[in-house]
Amino acid sequence: MVSRQTELDRLAGVLDGLTGTGHGPTVVDVTGAAGIGKSRLVSEFCARARDRGMTVLRGRATEYERHLPYQPLADALADLDAEAGIPSPLAEVHTMDRFALQRAAAAFLARIARTGNGLVVALDDVHWADPASLELLDHLVRHPPRRAPVVIVVARRERQTSPRLAASLTRGVEARTVLRLELGPLDRNACLAALAPDRPAELAAELYAASEGNPLYFLALLQAGRPAGLSSLLLDELTPLTDGQRGTVQAVAVLGDHAAPALVAAVTGRLEVELDADFRELTARDLARPGADGRWALRHPVLRSLVHDTTDPLLRTRMHRLAAAELARVGAPVSERAHHVERSLTGWDPHAVTVLTEAARQAAATAPASSAHWLGVALAHLPERPAYGPLRRDLMLRRAEALGACGGLRESRDLLHEVISLSPPGTDDGVRASAVTLCAVMERHLGRYAEAVALLRRELARGRDLSPAETVQLGLELGSSAPHASSYPDVRDDVARTLELARSLGDEVAEAGALAVTALGEAYEGDTVAAAEAADRASALIDSLTDQDLAGLCEPLARLSWAEAFLERYADAERHAERGLAVARRGGLLYVVPHLLLCRSHIQVMTLRLGSAVELAEEAETIARGIGSDELLAFVLASKAQALIPALPPGDGGALAVAEEAVARAGAGTRWWASIAWCMLGYAALHAGDPARARAALLRAGGEDLDGLQPSMRPLFLEILVTAAVATGDHVEARHWAERARKEAERLGLVAQRASALRSWAHVPLAEGDMTAAADLFEQAAEETARGGGRLWEAQTLLLGAPLSAAVGRTARARAMWERALRLSTEGDAHLLAGLAEVIRPAVFGETGPTGGVPGRGPGPGAGMGAGAGTGAGAGPGAGAGPGAGAGPGAGAGPESGAGVGIPSPSPAPAPTPAEPTVLSPREREIAALVAEGLTSPAIAERLYLSPRTVETHLSRIYRKTGVASRAALAALQVRGELGVGGA
C-alpha cells in the first residue's frame, strides 16, 4: 500500500471497535475515481480482518449486468462455505417480498457474524448495483444487523452513485454509523519512491504528473514508459495477443467479471482444454485473474469496459445468444438467461420474450425494477400488429404494476393512460377497468386525488359498457379516495350502491371490501355507531374467508384495521392488520404494506409497546421511500413521530426532526395525511418546549375553525391547543378549546377521546384556583383510560394527575397513580414518561430539593406533555412560559392565590423581547438569512453543502430560540435585525 496509511489506521479503528464496548461505524464508505485504489484498499482491509479470524465475504456489481437482482450480494455469498449450515436468504428469493428479504438478509449476516469472530461484507463498484441491491444497502445502512460484529464496506464512484444511496450514506455519516473515506491522488514522493524507484527521476515525475496521482494510470504509464492516454495504453496491452487469446479476453469481457471456463468455451466455440494456454498467457500479462471459484475476471473494470466496447457488436450479440443457450441447457436461473437474452435480441423472438416475461414474473415481488425493465425490453420488440394487441396491453399493465411497486409512480401512471387509450370501452377482457383502477391508485399515491376521482367517475359513467364486477372494482377504489379527495359523505351513496351490487353478485370478497370502506369512512368522520356496525359486518365476513379468498382484500383489510383502531378496538385491529400483512407480502402488494404496518404501529403506541412500534414505523418508512410517494411518506413520518415522542428520553429532538420532514413532504396539502403530519408537528413541538409553534401547526392542520382535523380524533388534537394556550398564559383560549373538546368527545363516545376532553377541561378549574376539581378531573380521566386499554394515555394521565392529587391531600392515591404510571412506562419502553416520572417524584412523595416544588408555594415552570398528555405551564404570576422536557401540571392556581404544585423542568427560557436580540450561532444566523431570501430547505442545503435534514434541525433550534413558528415570522425578525450572533 502506497500513501494510504491514514486510511488504514482509520479502518483498523473500525475493526477494533467491533470488539470494544463502543458503538462505532458499522458501514465503511470508500469513494474515489476509477483506478484511484478503492479495491486495493478494500483488499487490504479484508486481509487484516481475516488475520483477526473474521469471516470475509466479497462481491461486486458490474457495469453491464445492472438488472440482475442482488448480484453483489449473490457474488459475496459465493465465498461462504456451503457447509456452514446457514441457508442463504437468496435461496428463497422468489417466496418473499423485497422488504422481507432485506430483513432476512440483515438477520442472515448477523448469524454468520455470531457463529465466528465477526463478519466483513465488502461490496465493490456499488455505483453499478441493481435497484434491488441498492434498496438492500439502504436498509442495511439505516438498520445494520443488531448486536452482531458486522462491518459492511462499500466502494463506489461518487458521481455515478444513485442519489438515494448517496443520501442514505450521507445520513449515516451524520449519525456516525458510516465512516467515509474519500481517496484522493497518491502522494507524489511516496508514489515515486515505491512504484518507480528504478526509473529516471525526470521521467518518473513526468509520468506522475500525467497520471495526476491515479495509481491505475500511473502503473500503465510506467509499463509504456511514455505519456499517453489511458485507453490507448490499455489497448496496447492487447496488441501482442493471438486471435484466440483476444477472443478469450473478449468472451470474458462480454460474459462478466466471473466467467466460468465452460461458458467461455461455449461462446468461443472452443474446448475448455484449449483455453488453458490462453488463460495462462492472460494471467502472465496480468490481463485476467482467476477467482477462488475457478471463474475468470479481467484485471480492472476499466479494462473490461474498454474491451467490451471495442468488441465487434455482431460478435457481442452472438456471444450473448450462445451464452443464453448454454445457460438454458444447464438449467441456470431464468434471471441469468434473461440478461443474455436481452443482449442478444435483434428483433421479435417469441421464445426470448417468454424468458423475459418469466424473469419479470419471478422478480416482481423482490426486484420490481428489474421486472419492469425486462417487460420493457419485451414490449420494445413486440410487433406493432393488431394480433399482438391483447399481449401488448397485458404486458403494459404488468409493467405498470411493477413500476408502481418500485417507485416509478408517474411512469406507471403514464403507461396506464396508454393502456386505457388502447382499450376502447366494451373491451371484455377486463384490462381497461383494471388499468383505470390502478391508475387511480397511482394518482392517489401521487397526491392527485381530484384526478383519481374524476377518472373513476368518468369510467363509472359508462354504465352499460361495464360488467357488474368492473363496476364494483371501480366503486371500491372511488370509496377509498374519499378521506383524501373531499370527504366520505360525498361518496357515501356510491359506496352503498357498490355494497348492494357486490351482495347481489354473491361476491363476498367485494362485499367485505365495500364494508371495510364504509367502516373507515364513517370512523374517520366520527359516526361511531355506523362505523361500528360496518366494522362488525366486515369483520364477520372477512374472518370467514380463507387467505386465498383474501388475496384481493389487502387494502380492505388495512381499512378495516384502521377503522377498528379509530374505534379503539385495538385487539381486533391488530389481528386484522397482521393477517393483512401476511397476505400482502405473499401477493407482492407492497403499496398496501405501509398502511398495515402503520396501523400495527399506531395500536402498539396506544397500548404502550413502543420498541416494536418504532420498528414497524421504520419498516414502513423503508417501503415508502422505495415507492417514492411524498404523500405516503408524509403519513409514515407523522406516524413515526407519534411513536418516537414517548419512546425517546426527555430532551431528545429526534421526534421533532421526523415531524418536520413529514410536513415538508406533505407540502401544501390540506387533506387527511397532510393534516395528520401538521398535528404531529404540533405534538412534537409542544414536547420540545415550543407552544407557539405547536399552536401554529394545529391551526395550519385544521384551519381557524379546525374543521380540517380528523373528526374522530379532534379532542386529542384540541388538547394540544389547550396545553399550548395554558403554556402561554392564554386561559380564555384554553377554556374555549376545552369546551369544544368536551362537546366533540360527547358526540364520539370513545374512551380515549372522553379522557382527553377531561384532561383539557381540568385546566379550567385549575386556572380558577380549584385544585381539588382539577385533581378530580384527572382522576376521572385516568379511570377512563384504564377502561379503554390505551396504556399510553393512562400512563400520561396518571403522571399529570398524581402531583395534583398529592397537593390536595390524597397522598396514598397519588403514590399509587405514580407507581402504576412508572410501571406502565418502564414495561412499554416509554423513556419520556419514565423520565417524567422521576421529575415529578418529589412532588408526589412530599420530597424537597432542587427538583421538586412544595405544595402551597409559588408555581414553578410548567412542563406540558402534548396531545393527550396534559397540562402545561404555570397559570399564576411568574409561571414558566412553555412546556419543557419535564412533566406535570405545574400550574399556578390563579393570579391571587399563588397556590400550586411547582414541578420545575428544563424548560427553555421565554422568547426574548424585541429589545433583546436573539442569540444565534453563526451557522444559524446564516440559515436564517437564507430563509429571509425565500430559499427552501433543500436549496439552503445545496448552498451550504449540508443535508436537508441538518438544515431542518438548525431551523428547529432557531424556532425555539426566537419563539417564532413560521418562516415568515423568522424572515421578519431577520429583516428587523433582531437576530444576534452567538458563540459556537
Side-chain angles (χ1 to χ4, degrees):
M1 293 294 294
V2 178
S3 187
R4 301 295 187 207
Q5 190 57 48
T6 299
E7 290 83 357
L8 287 172
D9 290 343
R10 298 183 71 186
L11 290 173
V14 171
L15 294 178
D16 292 339
L18 290 178
T19 56
T21 58
H23 300 282
T26 55
V27 177
V28 177
D29 178 26
V30 183
T31 69
I36 203 66
K38 301 183 296 295
S39 299
R40 179 69 183 86
L41 181 67
V42 171
S43 295
E44 183 66 22
F45 178 67
C46 291
R48 296 188 179 194
R50 288 193 189 94
D51 290 342
R52 298 185 184 214
M54 299 179 68
T55 301
V56 175
L57 305 178
R58 292 203 66 176
R60 69 186 309 159
T62 47
E63 182 176 7
Y64 302 102
E65 292 80 20
R66 299 189 193 189
H67 297 287
L68 290 178
Y70 304 106
Q71 184 198 0
L73 180 62
D75 189 22
L77 296 183
D79 292 341
L80 192 63
D81 186 353
E83 300 177 358
I86 306 176
S88 165
L90 296 185
E92 306 295 328
V93 69
H94 302 308
T95 64
M96 64 181 83
D97 67 79
R98 68 191 196 268
F99 302 108
L101 179 62
Q102 291 167 9
R103 296 191 304 277
F108 174 71
L109 297 179
R111 286 199 301 273
I112 295 174
R114 285 194 290 265
T115 57
N117 295 322
L119 172 67
V120 170
V121 181
L123 303 176
D124 212 344
D125 293 327
V126 296
H127 50 277
W128 285 326
D130 60 281
S133 293
L134 292 176
E135 281 190 349
L136 173 59
L137 276 173
D138 178 69
H139 176 83
L140 293 174
V141 169
R142 289 184 295 107
H143 308 291
R146 296 178 182 274
R147 295 178 293 277
V150 178
V151 175
I152 298 166
V153 184
V154 296
R156 63 190 178 91
R157 302 177 194 170
E158 182 72 45
R159 292 183 180 180
Q160 294 175 257
T161 302
S162 74
R164 179 180 173 187
L165 179 60
S168 177
L169 291 167
T170 298
R171 286 194 298 270
V173 171
E174 294 173 352
R176 299 184 180 180
T177 59
V178 174
L179 169 65
R180 175 165 295 165
L181 300 178
E182 299 179 15
L183 301 189
L186 298 181
D187 175 76
R188 179 182 181 278
N189 293 334
C191 180
L192 297 181
L195 301 181
D198 301 326
R199 299 299 176 94
E202 186 176 342
L203 174 62
E206 181 183 4
L207 298 181
Y208 174 86
S211 73
E212 297 181 340
N214 183 297
L216 173 68
Y217 195 5
F218 183 64
L219 290 171
L221 289 170
L222 284 177
Q223 184 172 347
R226 59 183 175 82
L230 181 60
S231 295
S232 63
L233 292 172
L234 295 177
L235 287 174
D236 285 346
E237 292 188 56
L238 304 177
T239 301
L241 300 181
T242 66
D243 289 343
Q245 292 164 352
R246 183 182 296 274
T248 300
V249 169
Q250 291 170 330
V252 172
V254 168
L255 294 174
D257 277 2
H258 298 277
L263 199 54
V264 175
V267 302
T268 57
R270 301 168 65 192
L271 298 176
E272 278 191 63
V273 294
E274 296 177 13
L275 297 175
D276 291 344
D278 288 355
F279 283 126
R280 283 194 297 272
E281 181 64 21
L282 297 177
T283 302
R285 293 180 177 275
D286 196 24
L287 290 171
R289 296 171 178 175
D293 56 358
R295 300 189 177 200
W296 289 84
L298 297 188
R299 181 179 76 228
H300 194 278
V302 172
L303 178 61
R304 184 203 175 187
S305 178
L306 185 65
V307 174
H308 181 279
D309 293 347
T310 56
T311 298
D312 180 79
L314 294 178
L315 177 59
R316 275 204 311 266
T317 299
R318 178 176 175 274
M319 285 182 169
H320 281 296
R321 186 179 299 114
L322 291 170
E326 176 64 14
L327 290 171
R329 187 186 69 80
V330 300
V334 70
S335 59
E336 288 187 35
R337 294 159 53 198
H339 163 68
H340 292 289
V341 164
E342 173 193 349
R343 295 279 177 170
S344 65
L345 267 178
T346 56
W348 171 243
D349 182 343
H351 173 70
V353 169
T354 299
V355 173
L356 292 170
T357 53
E358 175 58 20
R361 184 193 67 78
Q362 290 189 9
T366 53
S370 295
S371 178
H373 170 78
W374 283 323
L375 289 168
V377 173
L379 282 165
H381 291 86
L382 196 64
E384 294 280 354
R385 293 202 291 269
Y388 294 100
L391 177 59
R392 178 178 298 281
R393 291 186 296 118
D394 176 65
L395 294 179
M396 291 171 72
L397 184 60
R398 288 173 56 187
R399 185 165 191 263
E401 291 173 345
L403 288 168
C406 67
L409 302 182
R410 289 176 176 79
E411 193 176 354
S412 173
R413 178 198 60 198
D414 294 344
L415 188 58
L416 288 164
H417 283 172
E418 190 175 348
V419 176
I420 294 168
S421 68
L422 293 174
S423 307
T427 307
D428 60 1
D429 58 5
V431 170
R432 180 182 173 93
S434 296
V436 169
T437 303
L438 184 59
C439 187
V441 172
M442 296 300 110
E443 297 281 27
R444 176 155 51 93
H445 280 297
L446 288 167
R448 295 163 53 92
Y449 305 123
E451 289 82 354
V453 171
L455 179 66
L456 292 163
R457 288 202 179 280
R458 186 192 72 169
E459 197 66 15
L460 284 165
R462 287 171 44 212
R464 294 180 181 178
D465 290 336
L466 294 171
S467 69
E470 290 173 335
T471 302
V472 169
Q473 179 184 8
L474 295 163
L476 287 174
E477 176 56 32
L478 179 64
S480 302
S481 66
H484 307 280
S486 52
S487 65
Y488 179 74
D490 291 341
V491 292
R492 184 179 278 126
D493 292 342
D494 297 277
V495 176
R497 285 192 295 270
T498 301
L499 175 60
E500 290 305 314
L501 180 55
R503 188 175 292 130
S504 70
L505 293 173
D507 188 343
E508 292 182 320
V509 171
E511 182 183 351
L515 286 169
V517 170
T518 302
L520 179 58
E522 300 294 4
Y524 175 88
E525 294 295 333
D527 189 340
T528 54
V529 174
E533 180 186 357
D536 288 341
R537 293 167 62 192
S539 178
L541 188 52
I542 284 174
D543 290 346
S544 71
L545 297 173
T546 66
D547 282 0
Q548 187 174 1
D549 294 329
L550 294 178
L553 274 177
C554 294
E555 281 210 89
L557 271 166
R559 295 183 187 107
L560 174 60
S561 301
W562 273 112
E564 291 170 328
F566 292 151
L567 292 170
E568 299 174 16
R569 300 177 174 183
Y570 300 130
D572 288 338
E574 188 159 23
R575 177 168 57 86
H576 288 130
E578 287 175 347
R579 193 176 184 194
L581 273 172
V583 176
R585 292 188 193 284
R586 284 198 299 271
L589 301 177
L590 298 176
Y591 57 88
V592 185
V593 172
H595 304 279
L596 293 159
L597 290 169
L598 292 180
C599 185
R600 287 192 64 200
S601 177
H602 173 78
I603 294 162
Q604 292 184 13
V605 170
M606 296 299 102
T607 55
L608 216 54
R609 291 172 283 163
L610 297 179
S612 55
V614 172
E615 289 181 3
L616 289 165
E618 287 178 342
E619 184 182 349
E621 180 186 356
T622 299
I623 300 173
R625 291 188 187 278
I627 288 175
S629 166
D630 279 348
E631 191 79 9
L632 174 60
L633 186 55
F635 184 47
V636 169
L637 292 171
S639 299
K640 181 180 177 181
Q642 180 193 32
L644 286 174
I645 289 170
L648 295 176
D652 192 309
L656 181 62
V658 172
E660 287 170 337
E661 185 181 356
V663 299
R665 294 286 182 170
T670 58
R671 298 303 308 170
W672 182 15
W673 289 352
S675 175
I676 292 293
W678 280 98
C679 286
M680 287 303 106
L681 177 62
Y683 187 17
L686 199 59
H687 280 277
D690 195 341
R693 192 180 186 194
R695 180 184 184 277
L698 264 291
L699 294 178
R700 168 63 175 78
E704 291 296 331
D705 58 2
L706 300 187
D707 286 345
L709 300 181
Q710 182 173 334
S712 58
M713 296 184 71
R714 274 185 194 151
L716 281 167
F717 294 142
L718 283 163
E719 192 174 357
I720 300 175
L721 286 170
V722 172
T723 308
V726 171
T728 55
D730 191 339
H731 298 288
V732 174
E733 181 171 284
R735 184 186 187 98
H736 168 72
W737 295 130
E739 175 63 23
R740 179 162 179 184
R742 184 181 63 79
K743 292 178 179 178
E744 295 274 2
E746 287 176 357
R747 180 180 67 85
L748 292 170
L750 297 171
V751 170
Q753 306 300 326
R754 283 201 303 267
S756 174
L758 287 168
R759 290 192 300 269
S760 291
W761 191 250
H763 290 289
V764 176
L766 193 61
E768 295 171 352
D770 191 346
M771 295 182 67
T772 300
D776 289 342
L777 287 167
F778 275 116
E779 290 175 9
Q780 291 176 38
E783 291 171 2
E784 281 281 297
T785 55
R787 267 193 325 110
R791 291 190 163 197
L792 171 68
W793 303 131
E794 182 184 0
Q796 290 189 345
T797 306
L798 291 169
L799 288 173
L800 292 166
L804 282 174
S805 295
V808 298
R810 303 170 187 171
T811 305
R813 185 178 185 87
R815 292 179 178 181
M817 292 168 69
W818 183 89
E819 288 168 356
R820 176 165 174 78
L822 180 61
R823 180 171 63 81
L824 292 175
S825 302
T826 304
E827 292 175 352
D829 293 322
H831 300 292
L832 173 70
L833 302 186
L836 298 178
E838 291 305 315
V839 171
I840 67 169
R841 179 189 180 103
V844 174
F845 288 86
E847 302 166 2
T848 59
T851 60
V854 180
R857 301 282 180 87
M865 294 177 63
T871 67
E896 299 299 330
S897 67
V901 182
I903 311 296
S905 68
S907 302
T913 64
E916 298 177 347
T918 303
V919 177
L920 300 183
S921 71
R923 176 65 84 183
E924 290 165 350
R925 184 175 175 81
E926 188 176 20
I927 289 174
L930 293 175
V931 168
E933 293 178 18
L935 270 68
T936 63
S937 292
I940 294 172
E942 184 175 355
R943 176 82 64 86
L944 301 180
Y945 301 100
L946 302 172
S947 72
R949 184 165 183 175
T950 299
V951 172
E952 291 295 336
T953 299
H954 280 300
L955 277 174
S956 67
R957 293 173 184 158
I958 295 169
Y959 286 138
R960 286 196 293 272
K961 289 182 178 182
T962 59
V964 302
S966 69
R967 285 172 173 262
L970 178 60
L973 285 181
Q974 175 72 20
V975 170
R976 294 199 301 267
E978 296 172 8
L979 302 180
V981 181

